[in-house]
Amino acid sequence: MDQARRAEQSRTTTETDIRLTLVLDGSGQAAIDSGIGFLDHMLHLLAVHSRMDIQLQASGDLEVDEHHSVEDIAICLGRCLREALGDKAGIRRYGEATIPMDEALVRVVLDISGRSSLFYGLEVPNERLGNLGRESVGEFFAALCREAGINMHIDQIRGSNSHHIVEAAFKALARALRTAVSIDPTVQGAWSSKGNLD
């Protein structure tokens, strides 16, 4: 594996201060502190199930709400993904995973195409998940797709427990990403008839 597939991003505004490091070919190690407990839990799962290493230190205006922090963390993560993938030579590009979490079943299908698009099909019953708002979950996925250049579909097949639904979505994202960023040694350059993935 090419251990050079890594990236660092920082983002400092009047609302947030973010430092994020991503290693694509890692072992699932996570050191995450955003001040948002439920998001930390989801990002830890993302690292474990994608086998990417994620280090995150974030502070933000949580006295207002978590929106700015969640969006800016997703921006940094998306930019790290884009940077670490470079010209995307040899990547499998597409990934798909369907993950059960008790009564919940969620599917994520994605294409690291260089073009951003999101179909977000989660219906989360509870307005809050710990200190993370339901709306912020969708904002996280939207910012991630936009900054990484990912076309992603998230489908909730079934589910009634808010925690289970969102956890299944993050695990499915992780497993789909693991496939999509992996290298196919039989592919030279970008896996596209156009010759690039931009």
Side-chain angles (χ1 to χ4, degrees):
M1 288 291 184
D2 179 7
Q3 291 301 323
R5 295 206 307 167
R6 59 175 290 136
E8 297 180 17
Q9 285 284 325
S10 61
R11 181 175 174 85
T12 302
T13 72
T14 58
E15 299 164 342
T16 62
D17 187 12
I18 314 290
R19 301 287 181 274
L20 195 150
T21 302
L22 176 71
V23 179
L24 291 186
D25 305 306
S27 59
Q29 297 299 307
I32 295 167
D33 182 9
S34 70
I36 307 166
F38 192 85
L39 181 62
D40 289 356
H41 179 41
M42 294 301 104
L43 292 175
H44 183 262
L45 294 173
L46 179 64
V48 168
H49 288 275
S50 68
R51 304 298 287 167
M52 298 178 190
D53 295 341
I54 300 174
Q55 292 185 9
L56 169 67
Q57 186 66 45
S59 60
D61 55 353
L62 298 181
E63 71 281 0
V64 176
D65 66 16
E66 82 286 355
H67 176 88
H68 298 138
S69 291
V70 171
E71 184 174 36
D72 284 2
I73 288 166
I75 286 170
C76 289
L77 181 58
R79 289 178 179 173
C80 276
L81 271 169
R82 186 186 285 270
E83 180 184 340
L85 286 167
D87 64 3
K88 307 181 183 74
I91 67 166
R92 287 186 165 85
R93 176 180 168 179
Y94 296 99
E96 178 177 0
T98 305
I99 296 294
M101 178 68 187
D102 294 353
E103 89 301 338
L105 186 65
V106 177
R107 177 178 59 230
V108 169
V109 184
L110 60 83
D111 174 13
I112 304 178
S113 63
R115 299 178 306 280
S116 168
S117 179
L118 173 66
F119 173 83
Y120 180 74
L122 296 187
E123 297 182 4
V124 181
N126 290 354
E127 185 176 342
R128 305 289 302 176
L129 297 104
N131 54 351
L132 180 68
R134 175 175 58 202
E135 287 185 346
S136 292
V137 177
E139 291 296 325
F140 177 90
F141 287 111
L144 176 67
C145 287
R146 183 178 67 247
E147 299 299 327
I150 293 175
N151 171 22
M152 182 158 60
H153 293 251
I154 306 175
D155 295 300
Q156 180 179 325
I157 297 167
R158 63 181 63 91
S160 57
N161 180 286
S162 298
H163 188 130
H164 296 166
I165 291 164
V166 176
E167 181 167 331
F170 271 85
K171 287 179 176 176
L173 168 62
R175 295 288 177 133
L177 276 174
R178 178 164 168 76
T179 299
V181 305
S182 65
I183 299 295
D184 185 329
T186 69
V187 175
Q188 300 299 314
W191 201 344
S192 170
S193 59
K194 297 186 303 181
N196 64 68
L197 291 170
D198 292 320

